[in-house]
Amino acid sequence: MDRQDRTDIEIQKYCDIIRNLLLQRAYDECERRIMRMMERFPHLPEPHNLYGILLEKRGEHLLALKHFRAALSAFRCSWWVRANRIFKTEGLSAMVSARSTADDR
């Protein structure tokens, strides 16, 4: 397992924990973990999206929209970074395949 795989697993664990905290309505703990995730992975869309969900649940809709927009912007940027890495290592056909997989989500 390489460094990128370990990082992906760590991100997934953060997201799973935060989602469970949202379901349990443990909003203060959820916010602390989201902030930690934003500090650790500022370039990713996931913490902004989760924070938007939390803010929406708290009734802070305008601030939630700000974070949903940040998540969308980060997603666009992160896709290009991933695509560039795939292109360099696996070629154009793998990059097109990754793009169609991302579009299916």
Side-chain angles (χ1 to χ4, degrees):
M1 184 181 318
D2 67 0
R3 181 176 173 203
Q4 183 63 42
D5 290 338
R6 287 192 304 273
T7 301
D8 291 346
I9 290 169
E10 183 180 358
I11 293 165
Q12 188 60 49
K13 285 181 181 180
Y14 266 110
C15 291
D16 291 343
I17 290 168
I18 292 167
R19 284 189 195 106
N20 286 330
L21 290 168
L22 283 168
L23 290 172
Q24 297 168 13
R25 297 186 174 148
Y27 297 149
D28 291 337
E29 178 63 21
C30 186
E31 184 171 24
R32 281 191 289 276
R33 292 196 184 239
I34 291 171
M35 291 301 134
R36 219 177 298 147
M37 188 178 182
M38 280 188 192
E39 289 171 5
R40 179 107 168 81
F41 307 104
H43 60 286
L44 293 181
E46 288 88 345
H48 289 284
N49 188 56
L50 292 167
Y51 197 46
I53 293 168
L54 172 65
L55 291 167
E56 192 174 44
K57 289 185 178 285
R58 287 182 168 170
E60 299 179 48
H61 300 289
L62 291 177
L63 192 53
L65 281 174
K66 175 185 169 188
H67 283 278
F68 288 138
R69 285 187 194 115
L72 183 58
S73 176
F75 175 75
R76 289 180 185 149
C77 293
S78 66
W79 184 87
W80 286 109
V81 169
R82 287 192 303 268
N84 190 34
R85 185 179 59 215
I86 291 169
F87 179 72
K88 285 181 179 177
T89 59
E90 299 175 32
L92 182 59
S93 62
M95 188 175 84
V96 171
S97 175
R99 174 63 188 198
S100 55
T101 302
D103 288 341
D104 292 341
R105 292 184 195 169

